[in-house]
Amino acid sequence: METAEIRRRFLAHFEAAGHTVVPSAPLLFDDPNLLFVNAGMVPFKPYFLGQETPSFDRATSVQKCVRTLDIEEVGKTTRHGTFFQMNGNFSFGDYFKEGAITHAWRLITGSLDDGGLGFDPEKIWVTVLHTDTEAREIWKKVAGLPDERIQNRGLLDNYWHMGVPGPGGPCSEIYVDRGPQYGPDGGPEADEDRFLEIWNLVFMQEEITNVRAKDQFDVVGPLPQQNIDTGMGLERVAYLLQGKENLYEIDEVFPVIAKAEELTGRRYGADHVDDVRFRVIADHVRSGLMLMGDGVTPGNEARGYVLRRLLRRAVRSMRLLGYEDPALPALLPVSLDRMKASYPELEADFARISQVAYAEEEAFRQTLGKGTQIFDQQATAVKQGGGTGLSGEAAFTLHDTYGFPIDLTLEMAEEQGLSVDADGFRALMAEQRARAKADAKSKKGVHADTTAYRAALDAHGPTDWLAYTDLRTESRVLALLNEGAATPAITAGSIGEVVLDRTPFYAESGGQNADAGHLTWSGGRAEVLDVQRPIKGLVVHQVRVLEGELTLDTTLEAQVDSEWRTGARQAHSGTHVVHAALREVLGPTALQSGSYNRPGYLRLDFGWGGALSPEQVRDVEAASNRALRADLPVSASYMTLPEAREAGALALFGETYGEQVRVVEIGGPWSRELCGGTHVEHSSQIGTVVVTSDSSVGAGNRRVEALVGLEGFAYLARERDLVSQLSGLLKVKPDEIPGRVGDLVERLKVSERELEKIKAAELLSGAATIAESGKDVGGTTVVAARLEGVGGGDLRTLALDVRARMGAERPAVVALFGVVDAKPSVVIAVNKPGIDAGLAAGDLVRTAGEKIGGRGGGKADVAQGGGTDAAGVESAIAAVEAAVGGA
């Protein structure tokens, strides 16, 4: 049975039992404590925590999940996978233990003809919490399981909670006996390889607090309502029903391994080391596909870094299997072909996905090229110094600075007969991770306390939010907060947070800055600094009280700065216009991946493989301004998410949308996007769009920045003034400026070349004088001099010329020190008789470098270096002469 069919049967089973089918949330779910969705219940967490009320009593879903803690373990065992799918059914105060057990038993043991999964009832074992006699009795009643196939386990195995105060409860896990060839008899307690867990039924019935460990917490009491949360591992069920050994061999994963076999000529199952690489490739290609499908782009931080690691580990594993051509163009379409049955949106968006992936692989291939050069240099230096191993610091630099994988460093070092200080490398990596975790914790916090906000919402209900229609409201103060705690007043000069019964202020979201403005009341005034939604339904204003004192129940006037709002509307609508113009000029794959706008300014990130040409930038700007001149109508309407998708509305990847979404149109289908921002009423009100830059923000991702409205006109006015000034200085018409500047640049280049010739002639004319200054040092003629204002190539040219004048009758050494801007440099040249006598320029330049606070290197005949201490030049000359005399 194919994985997609198992998925279909699961959803159909629960839909027939009255459950609402909820689509999978994006992997980039809006949870400050998660990098990605890592469990099926995550999208339902606000319901279980009582933060929101669901519109259904029972639901079912197949949730996309990614877990990143085990990336390094992927492939080493067959249990670890990065991307997986979790089937789940959920009850919110509806059915409880008996309902959950009944639904599960009917599905897993139901006949294939009746829509079930067809597992043999005699192969099913379950576990329950040792104190949960109720669950044990239900299993005996519903499934007829004997006592010996219902095993008791402790809190560590059979109690669920989120690790923080909140809901919890016992759980019951369902296992399938795979047979004696997989291990000893005796149920899950004896062997969890033979007895494989496929489903966990969680009975949320208690509120817990003071959580110290998974099995250490205090129970407050029963929850107001009992809930059900279950999770069935889709991949595990798939390999059991497909008769496979592990998740890497199922129909959604193994075809990538088969393609890798074809490309590399290696065979899966022949060698453990190769098998690990094949599994890494299969897992990471599929995981990367799903992450890119949900809008993640490769980068150096957070989610982008995870994706970059996955793609690069896959490419690297192909290299280690002997395949050095671009691999993702061959592998990614195979994974798409297997996943599109369950996620058809992947095929519709594959042009963008593949563009991002292939650009990342090309960037990595270039990284490998650079890293290989650096590695070769370091390996050579180690060997020349008589060493046998690469330091941990060197390996870490290759990894951290050049993106060079440690296992590739290990492989190449082994090829050259060198070891690597892997322990030192791991220590440096651990330090880096610790710094990163500390930084992330300081920025993000853990389970931010929303107690005060929740209390305000519970006491007064949601804020009447009027930002789409009003700039001014008469409002009442419902709550005041200071550093997250309720306070009776905010005094003059202080900053605090204010909750109003109604507000016209836009709260920051969707890339749009919050509104600016003021609150005024009898005897007082406050400046609005920021507006946020810390929890759904509640708008909170951060204010600085300028006059008077703000207290609870005060009636006041909330006034948005109208100029600010006008600029914000222009910028947000301008963002939509530029996005549509990009797709018009570049094609439909140029899709937005992020944005930010404030009055007068916008930036938009989008998927694209390379820099835009000047012509493309002009075309995007022209398409944007044509839309403004056309005075296109701007409208907003509400519909369900499926209806919006059917209408062709574009959604910003990574955003979380409710059942009803707001669709903003500019010119009908020309620009149709899901958006919660404030907008102009006609495109002409944007004023103008001036594209000011195009830049890279990572492989496969670009950023355009633009100015709109008065800021755009001001930018153009500055450009006009600049052209006017240049026209006056050059005494030409504006359109003649480029030609005139080109002529001046060419004349300057000619003059510089002539100046270089004169300078070189002057230098060489002094070569004879310098050559005559030589003195005998132990049978070798040494010419040493300090030359002010001479450096770089000039110093080298002069040294070689002086050496040529010394002839080849006797050994000679030329050591010239140049000083430019108080920074010394040195070039040492040795003639052939000197080399035959055992002198080497490379050794002498290192001797000189020690005295001028630097270093250098080169060959026996010529070497050069630099330093930081010009006062040491005389000492360096003496050191060189001493070294020559002692040779």
Side-chain angles (χ1 to χ4, degrees):
M1 186 184 298
E2 290 198 339
T3 306
E5 174 62 13
I6 300 170
R7 179 182 187 275
R8 188 199 65 78
R9 285 174 178 248
F10 183 91
L11 294 176
H13 172 79
F14 283 101
E15 185 174 26
H19 292 66
T20 298
V21 177
V22 178
S24 173
L27 288 165
L28 289 71
F29 194 67
D30 185 19
D31 188 317
N33 302 298
L34 294 176
L35 203 59
F36 302 107
V37 171
N38 62 0
M41 60 78 63
V42 168
F44 301 98
K45 194 163 68 170
Y47 305 146
F48 292 132
L49 291 172
Q51 295 173 347
E52 297 178 24
T53 302
S55 59
F56 36 70
D57 292 330
R58 50 178 72 181
T60 185
S61 71
V62 178
Q63 176 61 46
K64 298 176 288 186
C65 301
V66 163
R67 291 182 182 169
T68 60
L69 294 177
D70 296 329
I71 287 179
E72 298 292 345
E73 299 302 315
V74 167
K76 295 178 182 177
T77 74
T78 56
R79 282 182 174 267
H80 293 92
T82 309
F83 171 81
F84 61 96
Q85 299 159 89
M86 189 61 71
N87 299 357
N89 61 286
F90 309 90
S91 168
F92 308 99
D94 189 7
Y95 62 83
F96 197 46
K97 292 181 183 179
E98 184 165 349
I101 291 171
T102 300
H103 289 312
W105 182 255
R106 288 177 179 172
L107 175 63
I108 60 177
T109 62
S111 70
L112 297 180
D113 291 341
D114 292 335
L117 298 180
F119 281 101
D120 181 354
E122 298 302 316
K123 301 291 186 182
I124 304 299
W125 291 62
V126 300
T127 62
V128 296
L129 185 65
H130 61 90
T131 57
D132 193 358
T133 56
E134 180 187 9
R136 170 178 286 275
E137 293 305 314
I138 293 173
W139 274 113
K140 293 166 67 174
K141 170 187 171 183
V142 170
L145 289 179
D147 278 321
E148 59 269 20
R149 298 218 317 266
I150 307 173
Q151 295 189 323
N152 290 335
R153 304 189 89 168
L155 292 171
L156 277 175
D157 296 299
N158 279 69
Y159 193 95
W160 177 93
H161 57 76
M162 290 189 291
V164 295
C171 55
S172 180
E173 296 173 328
I174 304 174
Y175 293 77
V176 175
D177 182 359
R178 303 169 71 192
Q181 66 271 33
Y182 292 98
D185 200 355
E189 278 282 271
D191 190 297
E192 289 200 14
D193 284 326
R194 171 174 172 174
F195 298 89
L196 189 71
E197 180 196 345
I198 62 168
W199 206 342
N200 186 17
L201 313 179
V202 177
F203 312 130
M204 289 191 196
Q205 61 188 51
E206 297 168 335
E207 180 183 354
I208 66 170
T209 189
N210 195 21
V211 180
R212 303 174 294 283
K214 191 174 188 304
D215 60 341
Q216 297 178 33
F217 50 84
D218 298 328
V219 176
V220 177
L223 290 171
Q225 67 176 29
Q226 296 174 325
N227 302 316
I228 290 293
D229 158 30
T230 85
M232 169 194 274
L234 180 55
E235 283 79 6
R236 285 195 177 186
V237 174
Y239 73 75
L240 288 175
L241 291 181
Q242 292 173 19
K244 304 298 182 183
E245 292 295 313
N246 55 65
L247 65 91
Y248 293 99
E249 298 176 7
I250 66 173
D251 61 307
E252 287 189 348
V253 181
F254 190 78
V256 175
I257 292 179
K259 186 64 178 180
E261 287 181 308
E262 176 190 327
L263 295 172
T264 64
R266 307 281 185 94
R267 288 292 168 262
Y268 182 69
D271 176 83
H272 174 69
V273 173
D274 282 357
D275 286 355
V276 171
R277 292 167 181 164
F278 278 120
R279 289 194 285 261
V280 166
I281 292 163
D283 173 89
H284 288 6
V285 168
R286 184 171 79 137
S287 301
L289 171 69
M290 301 308 296
L291 286 170
M292 289 182 289
D294 275 355
V296 184
T297 56
N300 291 325
E301 296 181 357
R303 293 160 170 162
Y305 182 64
V306 171
L307 174 59
R308 172 160 287 168
R309 282 188 67 199
L310 293 174
L311 294 179
R312 293 189 170 191
R313 277 171 58 87
V315 171
R316 182 175 78 248
S317 296
M318 287 294 290
R319 175 192 172 96
L320 295 176
L321 289 170
Y323 188 78
E324 298 196 11
D325 291 335
L328 293 180
L331 299 173
L332 201 64
V334 176
S335 188
L336 168 70
D337 186 61
R338 299 311 307 161
M339 299 305 296
K340 66 184 182 183
S342 295
Y343 305 99
E345 64 272 14
L346 292 172
E347 186 171 33
D349 198 28
F350 192 67
R352 178 192 62 84
I353 293 169
S354 59
Q355 183 181 72
V356 171
Y358 303 161
E360 177 63 18
E361 178 170 16
E362 180 56 34
F364 185 46
R365 286 167 61 82
Q366 295 176 11
T367 293
L368 288 177
K370 294 176 184 176
T372 300
Q373 291 178 358
I374 301 300
F375 173 85
D376 288 342
Q377 292 172 7
Q378 293 187 345
T380 300
V382 168
K383 289 181 176 180
Q384 288 180 344
T388 59
L390 207 63
S391 69
E393 183 179 1
F396 179 76
T397 299
L398 278 166
H399 170 86
D400 192 52
T401 304
Y402 300 99
F404 211 60
I406 181 60
D407 47 359
L408 199 53
T409 300
L410 292 168
E411 177 194 16
M412 293 174 64
E414 185 178 3
E415 290 172 356
Q416 297 205 26
L418 297 173
S419 63
V420 177
D421 179 10
D423 290 339
F425 171 82
R426 283 192 288 269
L428 290 168
M429 285 294 294
E431 290 177 13
Q432 184 191 61
R433 290 192 187 102
R435 287 193 299 269
K437 286 181 180 178
D439 183 56
K441 186 175 182 180
S442 68
K443 291 178 180 178
K444 181 178 66 177
V446 179
H447 293 285
D449 187 2
T450 60
T451 304
Y453 304 125
R454 176 63 48 196
L457 183 64
D458 289 345
H460 306 289
T463 306
D464 187 9
W465 188 62
L466 303 171
Y468 292 146
T469 57
D470 295 75
L471 290 176
R472 188 197 70 81
T473 60
E474 184 177 289
S475 307
R476 184 169 65 90
V477 176
L478 300 179
L480 297 172
L481 300 99
N482 182 20
E483 296 184 353
T487 184
I490 305 174
T491 57
S494 300
I495 294 176
E497 293 179 309
V498 183
V499 177
L500 303 174
D501 60 344
R502 67 179 62 88
T503 181
F505 283 87
Y506 182 82
E508 179 183 358
S509 66
Q512 180 176 330
N513 256 11
D515 279 335
H518 290 86
L519 308 180
T520 55
W521 62 96
S522 178
R525 184 167 173 265
E527 174 188 9
V528 176
L529 305 174
D530 192 16
V531 188
Q532 297 288 336
R533 295 177 182 269
I535 58 175
K536 187 175 181 179
L538 195 72
V539 176
V540 178
H541 312 71
Q542 185 188 62
V543 305
R544 177 189 288 111
V545 175
L546 304 175
E547 303 170 19
E549 182 178 65
L550 185 56
T551 58
L552 289 172
D553 290 323
T554 296
T555 298
L556 52 75
E557 180 182 90
Q559 176 70 57
V560 175
D561 184 324
S562 59
E563 287 295 317
W564 178 281
R565 173 67 71 80
T566 296
R569 294 168 68 203
Q570 289 175 321
H572 205 147
S573 296
T575 304
H576 286 224
V577 166
V578 171
H579 188 202
L582 280 166
R583 289 181 285 109
E584 180 179 310
V585 172
L586 303 178
T589 62
L591 285 173
Q592 177 181 338
S593 58
S595 69
Y596 170 76
N597 54 79
R598 63 173 186 265
Y601 167 85
L602 68 89
R603 71 168 186 244
L604 186 145
D605 297 345
F606 63 101
W608 197 249
L612 304 189
S613 68
E615 292 76 15
Q616 287 173 321
V617 172
R618 284 196 295 269
D619 289 346
V620 169
E621 188 175 83
S624 299
N625 284 296
R626 282 197 300 272
L628 271 56
R629 185 178 63 183
D631 197 28
L632 301 175
V634 180
S635 63
S637 57
Y638 290 87
M639 59 189 74
T640 65
L641 186 56
E643 288 172 342
R645 286 175 173 157
E646 181 68 24
L650 299 176
L652 179 59
F653 292 110
E655 286 291 317
T656 303
Y657 299 102
E659 294 177 27
Q660 286 284 314
V661 295
R662 183 171 181 257
V663 177
V664 173
E665 293 184 353
I666 300 178
W670 186 73
S671 172
R672 183 177 286 150
E673 300 187 32
L674 273 61
C675 180
T678 59
H679 288 273
V680 298
E681 296 170 354
H682 290 270
S683 61
S684 62
Q685 294 172 339
I686 298 171
T688 188
V689 172
V690 181
V691 178
T692 58
S693 73
D694 159 55
S695 59
S696 171
V697 285
N701 219 30
R702 305 293 300 176
R703 170 174 292 172
V704 294
E705 296 178 87
L707 298 173
V708 299
L710 290 177
E711 284 78 2
F713 287 117
Y715 179 89
L716 294 174
R718 289 193 299 271
E719 295 282 291
R720 178 196 61 200
D721 292 343
L722 180 61
V723 170
S724 178
Q725 292 175 38
L726 288 172
S727 179
L729 286 171
L730 299 173
K731 295 181 172 55
V732 295
K733 296 178 180 179
D735 59 357
E736 296 173 346
I737 289 175
R740 178 63 170 153
V741 170
D743 290 342
L744 290 174
V745 169
E746 185 58 35
R747 288 169 59 185
L748 181 61
K749 288 179 180 178
V750 171
S751 298
E752 287 176 342
R753 286 194 293 267
E754 290 299 320
L755 187 60
E756 287 296 321
K757 289 179 182 179
I758 295 171
K759 186 178 178 182
E762 289 179 351
L763 280 171
L764 295 177
S765 67
T769 303
I770 295 173
E772 292 172 356
S773 68
K775 64 180 181 179
D776 182 80
V777 178
T780 298
T781 301
V782 176
V783 174
R786 171 176 175 148
L787 304 171
E788 298 293 336
V790 181
D794 292 337
L795 193 66
R796 184 183 180 93
T797 299
L798 186 58
L800 295 177
D801 188 79
V802 172
R803 183 183 66 178
R805 295 173 184 269
M806 303 299 294
E809 289 75 24
R810 61 177 285 164
V813 172
V814 178
L816 300 185
F817 293 82
V819 179
V820 177
D821 296 330
K823 294 289 181 66
S825 58
V826 57
V827 175
I828 295 180
V830 181
N831 67 0
K832 189 174 186 308
I835 295 172
D836 293 340
L839 296 169
D843 295 337
L844 294 173
V845 87
R846 280 190 284 273
T847 298
E850 293 175 359
K851 301 298 183 181
I852 59 174
R855 55 187 176 180
K859 299 180 180 179
D861 61 336
V862 63
Q864 63 188 61
T868 58
D869 183 12
V873 169
E874 283 67 28
S875 297
I877 291 174
V880 170
E881 291 176 346
V884 171

